[in-house]
Amino acid sequence: MIINADLHVHSKYSMATSKNMNPETMAIESVKKGLNLVATGDAFHSKWLKELEDSLIEIDDTGIYKTNDNIAPNNTKFITTTELEDNHRIHHLLIIPSIEVAWQMRDEFTVKNMDSDGRPKIRMNGAEIMDIAREYDCIIGPAHIFTPWTGLYKEYDSIMECYDDKPDFVELGLSSDSDLADTIEELWDYTFLTNSDSHSPWPHRIGREFNKMELDELSYNGLRKSIKDNNIIENYGFDPRMGKYHETGCIQCHKIYNIHDAMARNMKCTCGGRIKKGVKGRIQELASYDTPQHPSNRPPYQYLLPLSELLSTVHDKGVTTKYVQTRYDNLLKQFGNEIEVLLNTPIESIEKVDPLLSKVINSYRNNGLNVNPGRGGQYGTVEYN
């Protein structure tokens, strides 16, 4: 069984998230995207757990859930997940066997208030969190490992320093890809996951990164086996230059710096703002090789950009405008779902519907996008002529 899975999102109970992050809306919008499996996110928040219990139905004790079939035909299924922040402000992603297990785990952690945020701040280190996760048969790994604020590598030079043991996967994050990560020798032994970390249910956010995976069966055990055996067929995600922390840059004026020049300036911009070390700069510090050395089982990494953002770029209209959304809906009506349009629909067929769109899709399918890179908290932008 081959599925498209986004295994890291947040609910409406996390800070700075859409109030529309509820199970019904997530299921409907994920169908539009073309996702077969999506994370619940925030599975230690009691109000969210109760809402999940009221809204979702477990399928035959598999740890896989669905909404009522009347909500969305062939609706996207759910898997129980949460992200945790440890006492070093490092983020960890847990994939949990079931909602019931999530309830049981809540009391195991040292935390001031588990319900203060969908992503709780745990007063424990990575090794302690991993021990609890393993006790409850969870899958665990570092979330967006290179992110300069909350990724594992902002604090440690190796994964083992954090966990004292090998986690089950590494999540790359929006500002990196397999080519960048595989310049670091210690990462060759890990399954790479690419997930959206979405705070919104709309298809230009949810599923903006996802994994094409082969499962023996659609179940928690099937997913765990696929990750542990690295049965990822392909990773899909941003061109890392689109990530908002790809280059080293000022968080105030967004000027880009070479990492060595930035450090010589004590990370202080000419404008007086703070320079934030980018993912590319941090990888250069950690790299074992100048060019990627992929292990034999590393799947391809295909760049992907949200369809509505591409439409917005080529037509110079806002993502949420009626102009863009009408064209978006028309493409889905003709070709099925967003992933199908972005990856599989022949360029000639797209050209008949939207010639401008066909050109930019053809460019990123061939890794030919011209990108003004992200830095200092500002997303990269596609330069389109």
Side-chain angles (χ1 to χ4, degrees):
M1 173 186 294
I2 296 174
I3 65 167
N4 296 326
D6 182 356
L7 301 174
H8 182 179
V9 307
H10 290 278
S11 76
K12 60 188 177 184
Y13 294 102
S14 280
M15 293 178 62
T17 52
S18 168
K19 66 181 184 301
N20 294 303
M21 281 300 264
N22 59 70
E24 294 82 4
T25 305
M26 291 165 67
I28 292 169
E29 298 303 318
S30 294
V31 169
K32 294 179 184 177
K33 188 72 179 190
L35 297 172
N36 308 109
L37 185 67
V38 68
T40 63
D42 299 355
F44 290 158
H45 194 286
S46 63
K47 289 184 179 179
W48 183 234
L49 279 172
K50 290 174 183 175
E51 191 166 336
L52 293 173
E53 287 181 323
D54 291 341
S55 303
L56 300 180
I57 304 162
E58 187 174 8
I59 304 171
D60 300 327
D61 296 319
T62 58
I64 303 297
Y65 298 83
K66 67 174 184 176
T67 57
N68 187 298
D69 289 335
N70 294 327
I71 298 293
N74 301 313
N75 55 5
T76 299
K77 307 305 187 291
F78 289 85
I79 185 98
T80 312
T81 71
T82 194
E83 184 182 30
L84 305 177
E85 181 175 296
D86 72 14
N87 57 7
H88 292 288
R89 292 199 65 212
I90 294 169
H91 289 185
H92 308 270
L93 177 62
L94 274 67
I95 306 174
I96 305 168
S98 67
I99 292 173
E100 180 182 2
V101 171
W103 276 115
Q104 295 169 2
M105 293 180 70
R106 277 171 44 91
D107 294 334
E108 297 281 356
F109 296 96
T110 303
V111 59
K112 184 176 181 180
N113 180 4
M114 188 65 87
D115 288 339
S116 63
D117 186 49
R119 183 204 300 113
K121 294 176 173 61
I122 305 298
R123 295 176 173 178
M124 304 169 78
N125 63 35
E128 293 168 324
I129 291 171
M130 175 181 276
D131 285 344
I132 296 172
R134 292 278 166 80
E135 181 181 348
Y136 285 88
D137 201 27
C138 298
I139 311 167
I140 182 172
H144 40 73
I145 190 169
F146 297 110
T147 302
W149 298 104
T150 55
L152 183 150
Y153 280 136
K154 69 95 178 177
E155 186 77 17
Y156 299 104
D157 289 336
S158 77
I159 291 173
M160 295 295 285
E161 289 178 37
C162 177
Y163 291 114
D164 296 333
D165 197 2
K166 183 180 175 182
D168 301 302
F169 61 83
V170 164
E171 184 184 65
L172 294 180
L174 302 184
S175 295
S176 62
D177 61 8
S178 297
D179 279 350
L180 289 167
D182 274 335
T183 62
I184 302 171
E185 187 173 3
E186 80 159 338
L187 295 182
W188 296 350
D189 291 333
Y190 290 94
T191 297
F192 289 166
L193 294 183
T194 40
N195 302 309
S196 71
D197 196 3
S198 182
H199 290 207
S200 164
W202 315 125
H204 64 287
R205 292 290 182 259
I206 204 164
R208 59 186 171 178
E209 297 205 349
F210 70 94
N211 312 275
K212 180 178 284 187
M213 312 174 66
E214 185 171 3
L215 277 62
D216 293 339
E217 61 179 16
L218 187 58
S219 67
Y220 173 78
N221 288 333
L223 180 72
R224 179 180 60 184
K225 184 176 186 298
S226 178
I227 291 173
K228 285 181 173 290
D229 293 347
N230 197 14
N231 286 332
I232 310 297
I233 297 172
E234 194 158 13
N235 292 109
Y236 295 92
F238 275 24
D239 181 319
R241 295 173 296 171
M242 295 293 292
K244 60 183 179 179
Y245 294 109
H246 179 65
E247 293 280 359
T248 295
C250 176
I251 62 174
Q252 186 168 306
C253 73
H254 305 298
K255 179 180 177 179
I256 293 176
Y257 282 86
N258 174 283
I259 184 60
H260 303 294
D261 293 339
M263 294 179 73
R265 295 186 58 84
N266 293 318
M267 307 304 281
K268 197 75 172 178
C269 181
T270 55
C271 78
R274 179 183 179 186
I275 301 170
K276 193 64 180 174
K277 185 185 298 182
V279 165
K280 187 173 79 171
R282 180 58 175 143
I283 290 174
Q284 287 171 345
E285 292 177 337
L286 296 166
S288 312
Y289 301 93
D290 293 332
T291 58
Q293 306 292 316
H294 297 299
S296 60
N297 62 347
R298 181 72 70 219
Y301 187 109
Q302 172 65 55
Y303 294 154
L304 187 80
L305 289 170
L307 179 57
S308 58
E309 290 189 357
L310 292 176
L311 287 165
S312 173
T313 296
V314 299
H315 293 290
D316 197 23
K317 303 286 185 181
V319 170
T320 60
T321 61
K322 184 177 180 181
Y323 186 96
V324 167
Q325 291 304 310
T326 298
R327 279 155 179 76
Y328 178 90
D329 292 340
N330 184 43
L331 287 160
L332 264 58
K333 183 177 181 180
Q334 294 196 49
F335 303 121
N337 61 59
E338 182 172 330
I339 290 172
E340 189 65 24
V341 174
L342 293 171
L343 297 175
N344 302 320
T345 301
I347 292 297
E348 296 78 12
S349 299
I350 299 173
E351 187 175 16
K352 293 176 182 178
V353 179
D354 193 323
L356 293 176
L357 179 68
S358 68
K359 291 180 181 179
V360 72
I361 288 180
N362 188 55
S363 292
Y364 83 68
R365 284 186 185 178
N366 293 288
N367 294 337
L369 282 179
N370 184 20
V371 175
N372 182 24
R375 67 280 194 180
Q378 182 180 72
Y379 283 109
T381 55
V382 176
E383 300 294 322
Y384 178 76
N385 297 318

